[in-house]
Amino acid sequence: MRGFFIGRFQPYHLGHHEVIKNIINEVDELIIGIGSAQESHSFENPFTAGERVLMISMALNELDIKKRVYIIPLEDIKRNSLWVAHVREMVPPFDVVYSNNPLVKRLFKEAGMEVKGTHMYNRVEYQGTEIRRKMINGDDWKRYVPKAVAEVIEAIDGINRIREIIGKDV
Ligand code: ATP
Ligand code: MG
């Protein structure tokens, strides 16, 4: 059985990591879709699809499950009623969708697919928006992401990037 889980992963954090650790025990293979793949260099989406692939790939190394996981960037099509077909075209066939996102759940259910909810882990701290805010403010952000993800972000000078792109053109 193959499962599907989608996020923007800006960045990939310990909440995502917990969810994936759980899902992988329930399925033979897992597809991780990277949403809004075309976006980068903005506050909402600072990292490129390729950088996010690297973050997830490095974080999964420690779990020894890489052979059972596909990491696939997915561009937005801005057509919700056609989106499931778009996803299904871009990734290997899957049997079950794991999501806590109401729109994602609804769209896959309407397409007749099995959808399973996911648990939320420390959502106050394990939240992309909060972690990006910490990066900008100089607060400790590393404790909310897998160590390998922090290393990727440092290697690409990610903190300076996110600080610079929120600057104003004055
Ligand atoms: P942002 O604040 O940028 O939206 P996010 O933390 O919500 O970041 P996403 O990439 O939007 O991260 O999340 C993808 C999916 O991961 C979401 O549908 C969400 O349900 C799930 N998720 C996010 N944070 C957690 C968490 N702490 N525990 C469990 N699941 C989470
Ligand atoms: Mg989100």
mmCIF file of all heavy atoms in Angstrom, residues 5-19 35 43-45 98-102 104 118-132, ligand 1:
data_model
loop_
_atom_site.group_PDB
_atom_site.id
_atom_site.type_symbol
_atom_site.label_atom_id
_atom_site.label_comp_id
_atom_site.label_asym_id
_atom_site.label_seq_id
_atom_site.Cartn_x
_atom_site.Cartn_y
_atom_site.Cartn_z
ATOM 1 N N PHE A 5 1.414 12.223 1.300
ATOM 2 C CA PHE A 5 1.363 13.310 2.283
ATOM 3 C C PHE A 5 1.933 14.560 1.635
ATOM 4 O O PHE A 5 2.991 14.511 1.014
ATOM 5 C CB PHE A 5 2.191 12.934 3.519
ATOM 6 C CG PHE A 5 2.245 14.000 4.591
ATOM 7 C CD1 PHE A 5 1.125 14.295 5.367
ATOM 8 C CD2 PHE A 5 3.412 14.704 4.835
ATOM 9 C CE1 PHE A 5 1.178 15.277 6.360
ATOM 10 C CE2 PHE A 5 3.476 15.682 5.824
ATOM 11 C CZ PHE A 5 2.351 15.966 6.590
ATOM 12 N N ILE A 6 1.217 15.678 1.764
ATOM 13 C CA ILE A 6 1.693 16.900 1.110
ATOM 14 C C ILE A 6 1.859 18.040 2.096
ATOM 15 O O ILE A 6 1.097 18.176 3.063
ATOM 16 C CB ILE A 6 0.754 17.330 -0.055
ATOM 17 C CG1 ILE A 6 1.360 18.520 -0.811
ATOM 18 C CG2 ILE A 6 -0.656 17.635 0.461
ATOM 19 C CD1 ILE A 6 0.799 18.722 -2.191
ATOM 20 N N GLY A 7 2.886 18.858 1.857
ATOM 21 C CA GLY A 7 3.097 20.062 2.647
ATOM 22 C C GLY A 7 3.934 21.031 1.829
ATOM 23 O O GLY A 7 4.405 20.681 0.747
ATOM 24 N N ARG A 8 4.115 22.254 2.330
ATOM 25 C CA ARG A 8 5.031 23.186 1.653
ATOM 26 C C ARG A 8 6.438 23.042 2.216
ATOM 27 O O ARG A 8 7.407 23.352 1.572
ATOM 28 C CB ARG A 8 4.528 24.629 1.783
ATOM 29 C CG ARG A 8 3.263 24.891 0.972
ATOM 30 C CD ARG A 8 2.857 26.362 0.928
ATOM 31 N NE ARG A 8 3.658 27.221 1.773
ATOM 32 C CZ ARG A 8 3.417 27.480 3.065
ATOM 33 N NH1 ARG A 8 2.371 26.976 3.658
ATOM 34 N NH2 ARG A 8 4.211 28.249 3.758
ATOM 35 N N PHE A 9 6.496 22.611 3.487
ATOM 36 C CA PHE A 9 7.790 22.343 4.135
ATOM 37 C C PHE A 9 8.739 23.533 4.075
ATOM 38 O O PHE A 9 9.876 23.428 3.624
ATOM 39 C CB PHE A 9 8.436 21.085 3.541
ATOM 40 C CG PHE A 9 7.518 19.897 3.542
ATOM 41 C CD1 PHE A 9 7.099 19.306 2.352
ATOM 42 C CD2 PHE A 9 7.035 19.378 4.737
ATOM 43 C CE1 PHE A 9 6.230 18.224 2.349
ATOM 44 C CE2 PHE A 9 6.165 18.283 4.751
ATOM 45 C CZ PHE A 9 5.777 17.702 3.551
ATOM 46 N N GLN A 10 8.252 24.674 4.565
ATOM 47 C CA GLN A 10 9.028 25.925 4.584
ATOM 48 C C GLN A 10 9.308 26.339 6.021
ATOM 49 O O GLN A 10 8.736 27.313 6.489
ATOM 50 C CB GLN A 10 8.237 27.021 3.851
ATOM 51 C CG GLN A 10 8.015 26.800 2.380
ATOM 52 C CD GLN A 10 9.235 27.103 1.532
ATOM 53 O OE1 GLN A 10 10.338 27.273 2.037
ATOM 54 N NE2 GLN A 10 9.043 27.182 0.231
ATOM 55 N N PRO A 11 10.178 25.721 6.752
ATOM 56 C CA PRO A 11 10.973 24.551 6.376
ATOM 57 C C PRO A 11 10.303 23.249 6.829
ATOM 58 O O PRO A 11 9.256 23.277 7.470
ATOM 59 C CB PRO A 11 12.257 24.768 7.178
ATOM 60 C CG PRO A 11 11.758 25.357 8.468
ATOM 61 C CD PRO A 11 10.588 26.234 8.077
ATOM 62 N N TYR A 12 10.957 22.113 6.496
ATOM 63 C CA TYR A 12 10.570 20.797 7.033
ATOM 64 C C TYR A 12 10.931 20.792 8.519
ATOM 65 O O TYR A 12 12.084 20.992 8.888
ATOM 66 C CB TYR A 12 11.341 19.708 6.286
ATOM 67 C CG TYR A 12 11.031 18.296 6.719
ATOM 68 C CD1 TYR A 12 9.943 17.609 6.211
ATOM 69 C CD2 TYR A 12 11.859 17.643 7.631
ATOM 70 C CE1 TYR A 12 9.662 16.302 6.605
ATOM 71 C CE2 TYR A 12 11.596 16.334 8.025
ATOM 72 C CZ TYR A 12 10.496 15.671 7.504
ATOM 73 O OH TYR A 12 10.226 14.382 7.898
ATOM 74 N N HIS A 13 9.923 20.610 9.397
ATOM 75 C CA HIS A 13 10.183 20.714 10.846
ATOM 76 C C HIS A 13 9.820 19.424 11.585
ATOM 77 O O HIS A 13 9.372 18.438 10.971
ATOM 78 C CB HIS A 13 9.485 21.943 11.427
ATOM 79 C CG HIS A 13 7.992 21.993 11.226
ATOM 80 N ND1 HIS A 13 7.132 21.036 11.718
ATOM 81 C CD2 HIS A 13 7.203 22.924 10.600
ATOM 82 C CE1 HIS A 13 5.883 21.358 11.422
ATOM 83 N NE2 HIS A 13 5.889 22.496 10.718
ATOM 84 N N LEU A 14 9.994 19.455 12.906
ATOM 85 C CA LEU A 14 9.826 18.236 13.704
ATOM 86 C C LEU A 14 8.381 17.755 13.756
ATOM 87 O O LEU A 14 8.130 16.571 13.978
ATOM 88 C CB LEU A 14 10.375 18.458 15.127
ATOM 89 C CG LEU A 14 11.903 18.536 15.195
ATOM 90 C CD1 LEU A 14 12.357 18.978 16.590
ATOM 91 C CD2 LEU A 14 12.544 17.184 14.852
ATOM 92 N N GLY A 15 7.415 18.658 13.526
ATOM 93 C CA GLY A 15 6.017 18.232 13.422
ATOM 94 C C GLY A 15 5.822 17.348 12.195
ATOM 95 O O GLY A 15 5.243 16.250 12.290
ATOM 96 N N HIS A 16 6.337 17.798 11.049
ATOM 97 C CA HIS A 16 6.280 16.983 9.823
ATOM 98 C C HIS A 16 6.987 15.641 10.047
ATOM 99 O O HIS A 16 6.501 14.594 9.618
ATOM 100 C CB HIS A 16 6.981 17.703 8.664
ATOM 101 C CG HIS A 16 6.415 19.052 8.338
ATOM 102 N ND1 HIS A 16 7.205 20.164 8.150
ATOM 103 C CD2 HIS A 16 5.135 19.479 8.162
ATOM 104 C CE1 HIS A 16 6.435 21.196 7.861
ATOM 105 N NE2 HIS A 16 5.185 20.829 7.874
ATOM 106 N N HIS A 17 8.137 15.723 10.704
ATOM 107 C CA HIS A 17 8.969 14.535 10.918
ATOM 108 C C HIS A 17 8.216 13.481 11.739
ATOM 109 O O HIS A 17 8.271 12.291 11.425
ATOM 110 C CB HIS A 17 10.253 14.970 11.647
ATOM 111 C CG HIS A 17 11.440 14.106 11.383
ATOM 112 N ND1 HIS A 17 11.836 13.724 10.115
ATOM 113 C CD2 HIS A 17 12.354 13.538 12.226
ATOM 114 C CE1 HIS A 17 12.924 12.959 10.200
ATOM 115 N NE2 HIS A 17 13.246 12.834 11.470
ATOM 116 N N GLU A 18 7.508 13.927 12.778
ATOM 117 C CA GLU A 18 6.725 12.995 13.597
ATOM 118 C C GLU A 18 5.619 12.341 12.775
ATOM 119 O O GLU A 18 5.386 11.133 12.874
ATOM 120 C CB GLU A 18 6.113 13.726 14.802
ATOM 121 C CG GLU A 18 7.082 13.988 15.934
ATOM 122 C CD GLU A 18 7.790 12.721 16.407
ATOM 123 O OE1 GLU A 18 7.112 11.717 16.687
ATOM 124 O OE2 GLU A 18 9.040 12.736 16.474
ATOM 125 N N VAL A 19 4.927 13.165 11.987
ATOM 126 C CA VAL A 19 3.835 12.631 11.163
ATOM 127 C C VAL A 19 4.376 11.557 10.217
ATOM 128 O O VAL A 19 3.802 10.474 10.079
ATOM 129 C CB VAL A 19 3.168 13.763 10.350
ATOM 130 C CG1 VAL A 19 2.195 13.194 9.316
ATOM 131 C CG2 VAL A 19 2.436 14.729 11.271
ATOM 132 N N GLY A 35 4.430 20.949 -1.949
ATOM 133 C CA GLY A 35 3.493 21.863 -2.584
ATOM 134 C C GLY A 35 4.088 23.241 -2.837
ATOM 135 O O GLY A 35 5.137 23.591 -2.302
ATOM 136 N N PHE A 43 8.644 35.522 2.106
ATOM 137 C CA PHE A 43 8.524 35.157 3.521
ATOM 138 C C PHE A 43 7.745 33.859 3.686
ATOM 139 O O PHE A 43 8.124 32.990 4.462
ATOM 140 C CB PHE A 43 7.844 36.268 4.342
ATOM 141 C CG PHE A 43 7.567 35.806 5.753
ATOM 142 C CD1 PHE A 43 8.610 35.651 6.659
ATOM 143 C CD2 PHE A 43 6.284 35.474 6.151
ATOM 144 C CE1 PHE A 43 8.376 35.182 7.951
ATOM 145 C CE2 PHE A 43 6.040 35.007 7.443
ATOM 146 C CZ PHE A 43 7.088 34.864 8.339
ATOM 147 N N GLU A 44 6.645 33.702 2.944
ATOM 148 C CA GLU A 44 5.829 32.491 3.058
ATOM 149 C C GLU A 44 6.573 31.266 2.540
ATOM 150 O O GLU A 44 6.390 30.154 3.056
ATOM 151 C CB GLU A 44 4.533 32.661 2.259
ATOM 152 C CG GLU A 44 3.481 33.526 2.948
ATOM 153 C CD GLU A 44 2.918 32.857 4.185
ATOM 154 O OE1 GLU A 44 2.618 31.652 4.113
ATOM 155 O OE2 GLU A 44 2.811 33.530 5.219
ATOM 156 N N ASN A 45 7.367 31.472 1.519
ATOM 157 C CA ASN A 45 8.058 30.362 0.847
ATOM 158 C C ASN A 45 9.516 30.726 0.563
ATOM 159 O O ASN A 45 9.888 30.984 -0.584
ATOM 160 C CB ASN A 45 7.340 30.030 -0.468
ATOM 161 C CG ASN A 45 5.958 29.461 -0.236
ATOM 162 O OD1 ASN A 45 5.806 28.319 0.197
ATOM 163 N ND2 ASN A 45 4.942 30.272 -0.495
ATOM 164 N N TYR A 98 -2.885 11.033 3.539
ATOM 165 C CA TYR A 98 -2.780 11.456 4.934
ATOM 166 C C TYR A 98 -2.727 12.969 4.969
ATOM 167 O O TYR A 98 -1.829 13.579 4.384
ATOM 168 C CB TYR A 98 -1.511 10.885 5.573
ATOM 169 C CG TYR A 98 -1.555 9.396 5.772
ATOM 170 C CD1 TYR A 98 -1.177 8.534 4.750
ATOM 171 C CD2 TYR A 98 -2.001 8.850 6.975
ATOM 172 C CE1 TYR A 98 -1.229 7.160 4.921
ATOM 173 C CE2 TYR A 98 -2.060 7.479 7.158
ATOM 174 C CZ TYR A 98 -1.674 6.636 6.129
ATOM 175 O OH TYR A 98 -1.733 5.278 6.304
ATOM 176 N N SER A 99 -3.699 13.574 5.649
ATOM 177 C CA SER A 99 -3.694 15.034 5.711
ATOM 178 C C SER A 99 -4.553 15.524 6.864
ATOM 179 O O SER A 99 -5.517 14.876 7.265
ATOM 180 C CB SER A 99 -4.213 15.636 4.405
ATOM 181 O OG SER A 99 -4.158 17.044 4.470
ATOM 182 N N ASN A 100 -4.195 16.674 7.346
ATOM 183 C CA ASN A 100 -5.008 17.358 8.342
ATOM 184 C C ASN A 100 -5.555 18.659 7.755
ATOM 185 O O ASN A 100 -6.222 19.416 8.427
ATOM 186 C CB ASN A 100 -4.148 17.642 9.579
ATOM 187 C CG ASN A 100 -4.997 17.809 10.814
ATOM 188 O OD1 ASN A 100 -5.980 17.091 10.982
ATOM 189 N ND2 ASN A 100 -4.648 18.753 11.657
ATOM 190 N N ASN A 101 -5.251 18.914 6.501
ATOM 191 C CA ASN A 101 -5.654 20.167 5.853
ATOM 192 C C ASN A 101 -7.064 20.007 5.271
ATOM 193 O O ASN A 101 -7.305 19.140 4.440
ATOM 194 C CB ASN A 101 -4.638 20.499 4.753
ATOM 195 C CG ASN A 101 -4.975 21.788 4.041
ATOM 196 O OD1 ASN A 101 -5.946 21.840 3.276
ATOM 197 N ND2 ASN A 101 -4.199 22.816 4.286
ATOM 198 N N PRO A 102 -8.015 20.854 5.712
ATOM 199 C CA PRO A 102 -9.413 20.676 5.297
ATOM 200 C C PRO A 102 -9.619 20.676 3.782
ATOM 201 O O PRO A 102 -10.386 19.858 3.264
ATOM 202 C CB PRO A 102 -10.126 21.881 5.939
ATOM 203 C CG PRO A 102 -9.260 22.276 7.075
ATOM 204 C CD PRO A 102 -7.855 21.969 6.655
ATOM 205 N N VAL A 104 -7.374 19.977 1.374
ATOM 206 C CA VAL A 104 -6.753 18.774 0.806
ATOM 207 C C VAL A 104 -7.645 17.560 1.041
ATOM 208 O O VAL A 104 -7.900 16.754 0.121
ATOM 209 C CB VAL A 104 -5.350 18.544 1.430
ATOM 210 C CG1 VAL A 104 -4.785 17.188 1.027
ATOM 211 C CG2 VAL A 104 -4.392 19.665 1.015
ATOM 212 N N THR A 118 -4.246 13.181 10.387
ATOM 213 C CA THR A 118 -2.944 13.027 11.046
ATOM 214 C C THR A 118 -2.993 13.764 12.385
ATOM 215 O O THR A 118 -3.769 14.700 12.555
ATOM 216 C CB THR A 118 -1.812 13.632 10.186
ATOM 217 O OG1 THR A 118 -2.158 14.981 9.867
ATOM 218 C CG2 THR A 118 -1.623 12.856 8.902
ATOM 219 N N HIS A 119 -2.167 13.299 13.328
ATOM 220 C CA HIS A 119 -2.093 13.984 14.620
ATOM 221 C C HIS A 119 -1.300 15.278 14.491
ATOM 222 O O HIS A 119 -0.429 15.393 13.636
ATOM 223 C CB HIS A 119 -1.404 13.092 15.654
ATOM 224 C CG HIS A 119 -2.257 11.954 16.087
ATOM 225 N ND1 HIS A 119 -3.386 12.126 16.851
ATOM 226 C CD2 HIS A 119 -2.155 10.622 15.854
ATOM 227 C CE1 HIS A 119 -3.937 10.951 17.071
ATOM 228 N NE2 HIS A 119 -3.223 10.020 16.480
ATOM 229 N N MET A 120 -1.581 16.220 15.363
ATOM 230 C CA MET A 120 -0.794 17.448 15.437
ATOM 231 C C MET A 120 0.192 17.323 16.606
ATOM 232 O O MET A 120 -0.196 16.909 17.689
ATOM 233 C CB MET A 120 -1.693 18.660 15.658
ATOM 234 C CG MET A 120 -2.318 19.150 14.378
ATOM 235 S SD MET A 120 -1.047 19.636 13.191
ATOM 236 C CE MET A 120 -2.043 20.363 11.935
ATOM 237 N N TYR A 121 1.440 17.676 16.374
ATOM 238 C CA TYR A 121 2.464 17.601 17.405
ATOM 239 C C TYR A 121 2.948 19.004 17.768
ATOM 240 O O TYR A 121 3.455 19.719 16.899
ATOM 241 C CB TYR A 121 3.646 16.749 16.932
ATOM 242 C CG TYR A 121 3.240 15.335 16.639
ATOM 243 C CD1 TYR A 121 2.841 14.969 15.362
ATOM 244 C CD2 TYR A 121 3.205 14.382 17.651
ATOM 245 C CE1 TYR A 121 2.426 13.677 15.082
ATOM 246 C CE2 TYR A 121 2.792 13.088 17.383
ATOM 247 C CZ TYR A 121 2.413 12.747 16.098
ATOM 248 O OH TYR A 121 1.988 11.475 15.820
ATOM 249 N N ASN A 122 2.753 19.382 18.995
ATOM 250 C CA ASN A 122 3.254 20.667 19.501
ATOM 251 C C ASN A 122 3.080 21.780 18.466
ATOM 252 O O ASN A 122 4.047 22.460 18.099
ATOM 253 C CB ASN A 122 4.739 20.509 19.891
ATOM 254 C CG ASN A 122 5.295 21.742 20.576
ATOM 255 O OD1 ASN A 122 4.550 22.690 20.867
ATOM 256 N ND2 ASN A 122 6.580 21.737 20.834
ATOM 257 N N ARG A 123 1.843 21.936 18.008
ATOM 258 C CA ARG A 123 1.573 22.844 16.889
ATOM 259 C C ARG A 123 1.951 24.293 17.211
ATOM 260 O O ARG A 123 2.189 25.098 16.305
ATOM 261 C CB ARG A 123 0.093 22.748 16.523
ATOM 262 C CG ARG A 123 -0.336 23.623 15.351
ATOM 263 C CD ARG A 123 0.365 23.243 14.058
ATOM 264 N NE ARG A 123 -0.214 23.927 12.908
ATOM 265 C CZ ARG A 123 0.408 24.136 11.760
ATOM 266 N NH1 ARG A 123 1.654 23.707 11.609
ATOM 267 N NH2 ARG A 123 -0.177 24.740 10.780
ATOM 268 N N VAL A 124 2.012 24.645 18.499
ATOM 269 C CA VAL A 124 2.382 26.017 18.853
ATOM 270 C C VAL A 124 3.802 26.329 18.375
ATOM 271 O O VAL A 124 4.069 27.392 17.815
ATOM 272 C CB VAL A 124 2.260 26.224 20.384
ATOM 273 C CG1 VAL A 124 2.695 27.639 20.767
ATOM 274 C CG2 VAL A 124 0.832 25.968 20.830
ATOM 275 N N GLU A 125 4.694 25.369 18.589
ATOM 276 C CA GLU A 125 6.100 25.605 18.237
ATOM 277 C C GLU A 125 6.490 24.983 16.899
ATOM 278 O O GLU A 125 7.304 25.548 16.173
ATOM 279 C CB GLU A 125 7.002 25.059 19.350
ATOM 280 C CG GLU A 125 6.862 25.856 20.635
ATOM 281 C CD GLU A 125 7.715 25.308 21.762
ATOM 282 O OE1 GLU A 125 7.812 24.066 21.901
ATOM 283 O OE2 GLU A 125 8.296 26.114 22.505
ATOM 284 N N TYR A 126 5.918 23.825 16.600
ATOM 285 C CA TYR A 126 6.246 23.169 15.331
ATOM 286 C C TYR A 126 5.310 23.684 14.252
ATOM 287 O O TYR A 126 4.364 23.019 13.829
ATOM 288 C CB TYR A 126 6.112 21.649 15.455
ATOM 289 C CG TYR A 126 7.039 20.999 16.437
ATOM 290 C CD1 TYR A 126 6.812 19.701 16.874
ATOM 291 C CD2 TYR A 126 8.162 21.662 16.933
ATOM 292 C CE1 TYR A 126 7.655 19.070 17.765
ATOM 293 C CE2 TYR A 126 9.009 21.038 17.832
ATOM 294 C CZ TYR A 126 8.753 19.752 18.250
ATOM 295 O OH TYR A 126 9.580 19.113 19.135
ATOM 296 N N GLN A 127 5.580 24.880 13.794
ATOM 297 C CA GLN A 127 4.742 25.539 12.795
ATOM 298 C C GLN A 127 5.662 26.381 11.911
ATOM 299 O O GLN A 127 6.448 27.194 12.410
ATOM 300 C CB GLN A 127 3.726 26.428 13.513
ATOM 301 C CG GLN A 127 2.726 27.044 12.589
ATOM 302 C CD GLN A 127 1.709 27.918 13.315
ATOM 303 O OE1 GLN A 127 1.709 27.995 14.543
ATOM 304 N NE2 GLN A 127 0.875 28.577 12.578
ATOM 305 N N GLY A 128 5.565 26.178 10.615
ATOM 306 C CA GLY A 128 6.484 26.841 9.695
ATOM 307 C C GLY A 128 6.540 28.348 9.891
ATOM 308 O O GLY A 128 7.632 28.936 9.964
ATOM 309 N N THR A 129 5.368 28.973 9.972
ATOM 310 C CA THR A 129 5.317 30.434 10.085
ATOM 311 C C THR A 129 6.079 30.906 11.321
ATOM 312 O O THR A 129 6.828 31.897 11.265
ATOM 313 C CB THR A 129 3.851 30.911 10.149
ATOM 314 O OG1 THR A 129 3.149 30.368 9.030
ATOM 315 C CG2 THR A 129 3.756 32.425 10.114
ATOM 316 N N GLU A 130 5.878 30.232 12.444
ATOM 317 C CA GLU A 130 6.556 30.595 13.692
ATOM 318 C C GLU A 130 8.062 30.422 13.567
ATOM 319 O O GLU A 130 8.849 31.245 14.047
ATOM 320 C CB GLU A 130 6.045 29.708 14.831
ATOM 321 C CG GLU A 130 5.129 30.375 15.827
ATOM 322 C CD GLU A 130 5.422 31.859 16.040
ATOM 323 O OE1 GLU A 130 6.481 32.171 16.613
ATOM 324 O OE2 GLU A 130 4.605 32.688 15.622
ATOM 325 N N ILE A 131 8.467 29.328 12.934
ATOM 326 C CA ILE A 131 9.899 29.044 12.795
ATOM 327 C C ILE A 131 10.552 30.089 11.887
ATOM 328 O O ILE A 131 11.638 30.593 12.181
ATOM 329 C CB ILE A 131 10.106 27.604 12.267
ATOM 330 C CG1 ILE A 131 9.610 26.594 13.316
ATOM 331 C CG2 ILE A 131 11.576 27.356 11.930
ATOM 332 C CD1 ILE A 131 9.476 25.170 12.817
ATOM 333 N N ARG A 132 9.865 30.487 10.818
ATOM 334 C CA ARG A 132 10.416 31.536 9.934
ATOM 335 C C ARG A 132 10.530 32.864 10.679
ATOM 336 O O ARG A 132 11.499 33.610 10.497
ATOM 337 C CB ARG A 132 9.536 31.689 8.684
ATOM 338 C CG ARG A 132 9.528 30.476 7.782
ATOM 339 C CD ARG A 132 8.930 30.768 6.416
ATOM 340 N NE ARG A 132 7.545 31.206 6.450
ATOM 341 C CZ ARG A 132 6.470 30.419 6.512
ATOM 342 N NH1 ARG A 132 6.625 29.097 6.590
ATOM 343 N NH2 ARG A 132 5.251 30.899 6.514
HETATM 344 P P1 ATP B 1 3.184 27.218 7.540
HETATM 345 O O1 ATP B 1 2.989 27.939 8.833
HETATM 346 O O2 ATP B 1 4.207 27.803 6.640
HETATM 347 O O3 ATP B 1 1.886 26.912 6.816
HETATM 348 P P2 ATP B 1 3.189 24.488 8.526
HETATM 349 O O4 ATP B 1 3.862 24.171 9.797
HETATM 350 O O5 ATP B 1 1.685 24.560 8.517
HETATM 351 O O6 ATP B 1 3.835 25.817 7.958
HETATM 352 P P3 ATP B 1 3.015 23.017 6.074
HETATM 353 O O7 ATP B 1 4.100 22.705 5.122
HETATM 354 O O8 ATP B 1 1.958 23.993 5.686
HETATM 355 O O9 ATP B 1 3.706 23.480 7.451
HETATM 356 O O10 ATP B 1 2.370 21.681 6.596
HETATM 357 C C1 ATP B 1 2.065 20.592 5.797
HETATM 358 C C2 ATP B 1 1.163 19.701 6.598
HETATM 359 O O11 ATP B 1 1.853 19.291 7.769
HETATM 360 C C3 ATP B 1 -0.079 20.455 7.063
HETATM 361 O O12 ATP B 1 -1.206 20.031 6.358
HETATM 362 C C4 ATP B 1 -0.185 20.186 8.526
HETATM 363 O O13 ATP B 1 -1.381 19.522 8.859
HETATM 364 C C5 ATP B 1 0.989 19.285 8.861
HETATM 365 N N1 ATP B 1 1.648 19.826 10.031
HETATM 366 C C6 ATP B 1 2.205 21.044 10.168
HETATM 367 N N2 ATP B 1 2.693 21.221 11.404
HETATM 368 C C7 ATP B 1 2.430 20.075 12.074
HETATM 369 C C8 ATP B 1 2.667 19.621 13.410
HETATM 370 N N3 ATP B 1 3.266 20.404 14.321
HETATM 371 N N4 ATP B 1 2.263 18.392 13.734
HETATM 372 C C9 ATP B 1 1.647 17.618 12.831
HETATM 373 N N5 ATP B 1 1.384 17.970 11.569
HETATM 374 C C10 ATP B 1 1.775 19.182 11.187
#
